Every structure is written in structure tokens, then in C-alpha cells.
Amino acid sequence: MTAQRLVNRRVAIKEMGKAGLAIVVFGAVACADQTGAGSTTTIPFTTTSGPPATSVTTSGGATTTLTTGSTAFQRVDLDVVSAYVLYREGEAALIDTGVDGSAESIESALTEAGLGWAALGHVILTHKHPDHVGSLGAVLEAVPDAAVYAGAPDIPAIASVIVPQPVADGDVVFGLDIIETPGHTAGHISILDSAAGILVAGDALNGAGGSVDGPNPAFSENMTLALDSVRKLAGFSYEVALFGHGEPLLEGASAAVADLAAGGG
């Protein structure tokens, strides 16, 4: 990391180690009852180490699987909102839950990864907005023992049978570094897999036609803080950026974010 080294703190749940990491991405549309829409695409993906990438397109909805020696990226794109499952060695973490009605798509994504609900031990919420936490209740019905995490300022606005554990800079969940990125909401967090070079930005950033854009002012609580968070994210090193809204950026992501930050966010 070029700006700050995140250190394991109070929620160091799992060590990353050298194990392979895979990422499943599934989208959720703004309408709660619409699932399975979209087309299947295959996108070239490489990493800086390991064997060349192998692309595998799966069936059963809009699904893209991309693999390298240690990392696979699967996206089920239902519309403008995406959530993410990160898994390794038979265990998984879910980042965001999509809108209400997304649990079936989450289960399908786990199945595509060769896993099931039992593998899901961690649910990390980037922020409180309903398109990101709408299926939290249904997910917790399926995995009532899963631990839930969110930024402290957003927790009172998140309806859940399990009160999320607060996380902040320096915390590590499932080998993933938590980065406080307030502005879009007061408690917004982003998640960095520093070993794989992958940033999950929630709504702190947006995909923009093969590049990256800042948070949407129409839905952000404090744009001054939001732009500070863009500059903060520019200080870390990652190749790939995954967004709540917009197409993933599969190469040169931290450089693109640095360029965005240099232009004022």
C-alpha cells in the first residue's frame, strides 16, 4: 500500500495466507422482484502473477467466470447494483446483499462457486442504503450464524435481527482490509484484498465505461467527505476495482482512481 498500511486489529477473523481466492459478483436490480435478467459475457482478466487467465462462461443467468491460478472473478449482472461473494478454502464472505428479493441470486452465485449457504460466515455491508442491505434479513434466515459488519455511523439505520459489528480503518475481516470511506454515507466502508489487488468500493466510487467516476452527488450525504474518500482510495495499490454501480475495472484501477483524485474527484 502506498499511503497507509492497514494492521490487523480487533476483528481479525481469518488470515489470508497463500490460498487461492475467488470472487463471485452478482447484481441486483432496483426492483425487488426482478432476478435473473441480463446476458452472459466473458471478459479477459489477468493478474500480475500466476498462470495465464482462463475464461469460463457459466449458464443460468448473467454469469461470467474468469480464473487465474489463484483468483477467479464471477459476475452475475442483473442491472445497476452488484454485490460480491469472496471465497477460499470452502469459506465465503458476502459484501452487500442487494435489494429485497436478491437471496435467490446470492444462493445461485454460491452454487456456481461450488458452495452453499453453509460456507457463508461473514456479511460485510458497505453502507446502509436499501439497494445494498435490502436482502440482509433473507440472507440471515439462510445463515443465522453469520457475522455481520458495517461502519458504525450507519448501523442504527440498518434493520437486522443481528446488530452489525462496527468496523473501521485497521480492521480485518476474512483477510480483507476495511477502509473507512465516508461521504456517500457517514459510515460507508470499502474493502481491500491487498494480496489479490482487488478493491470493493461500494458506492465510494462508480464504474464509468471502462474507467472510474466519483460518488453520485444526488445520493451522497457529504460530498466534501466523499471526495476526501476518493483521494484516500487513490493512496492504496490494487489492480481491480469492483463497484456497487457500473462495470468492474479489471486493470490499472488504482492508477485510474489516482487520476480521478488528481482532477478533484
Side-chain angles (χ1 to χ4, degrees):
M1 301 178 189
T2 59
Q4 163 184 11
R5 179 171 181 175
L6 296 180
V7 180
N8 291 9
R9 203 173 58 179
R10 64 181 184 279
V11 291
I13 306 299
K14 296 286 183 182
E15 289 298 325
M16 180 83 154
K18 298 297 184 180
L21 174 68
I23 296 180
V24 179
V25 183
F26 52 88
V29 297
C31 298
D33 295 330
Q34 185 175 351
T35 58
S39 60
T40 301
T41 57
T42 300
I43 308 168
F45 180 63
T46 59
T47 58
T48 55
S49 61
T54 302
S55 298
V56 179
T57 303
T58 64
S59 59
T63 303
T64 303
T65 301
L66 303 102
T67 63
T68 65
S70 61
T71 304
F73 180 106
Q74 183 181 32
R75 186 185 186 199
V76 180
D77 183 11
L78 304 180
D79 202 355
V80 296
V81 175
S82 294
Y84 303 83
V85 174
L86 281 68
Y87 65 95
R88 72 180 82 85
E89 296 185 328
E91 297 181 87
L94 171 65
I95 302 177
D96 289 340
T97 68
V99 296
D100 185 25
S102 298
E104 185 176 347
S105 296
I106 295 170
E107 184 176 23
S108 295
L110 287 165
T111 300
E112 290 283 355
L115 302 171
W117 285 117
L120 185 59
H122 315 280
V123 179
I124 307 172
L125 305 173
T126 61
H127 63 291
K128 64 187 178 183
H129 287 163
D131 55 334
H132 292 259
V133 303
S135 287
L136 179 58
V139 168
L140 292 178
E141 285 182 8
V143 281
D145 294 331
V148 183
Y149 311 88
D154 278 13
I155 290 175
I158 298 172
S160 175
V161 295
I162 299 175
V163 178
Q165 299 179 37
V167 288
D169 280 342
D171 289 336
V172 177
V173 177
F174 194 60
L176 307 169
D177 297 321
I178 303 299
I179 306 172
E180 292 178 79
T181 48
H184 183 70
T185 66
H188 193 287
I189 58 173
S190 299
I191 296 92
L192 178 66
D193 177 350
S194 57
I198 297 168
L199 174 74
V200 186
D203 286 2
L205 298 167
N206 287 287
S211 188
V212 62
D213 204 353
N216 190 331
F219 301 103
S220 297
E221 295 176 357
N222 186 322
M223 280 303 295
T224 298
L225 288 178
L227 296 179
D228 285 343
S229 290
V230 172
R231 288 185 280 270
K232 182 176 184 178
L233 290 174
F236 295 90
S237 179
Y238 42 89
E239 185 70 10
V240 174
L242 308 176
F243 314 105
H245 305 276
E247 295 296 313
L249 185 55
L250 301 180
E251 60 182 0
S254 59
V257 175
D259 287 345
L260 176 69

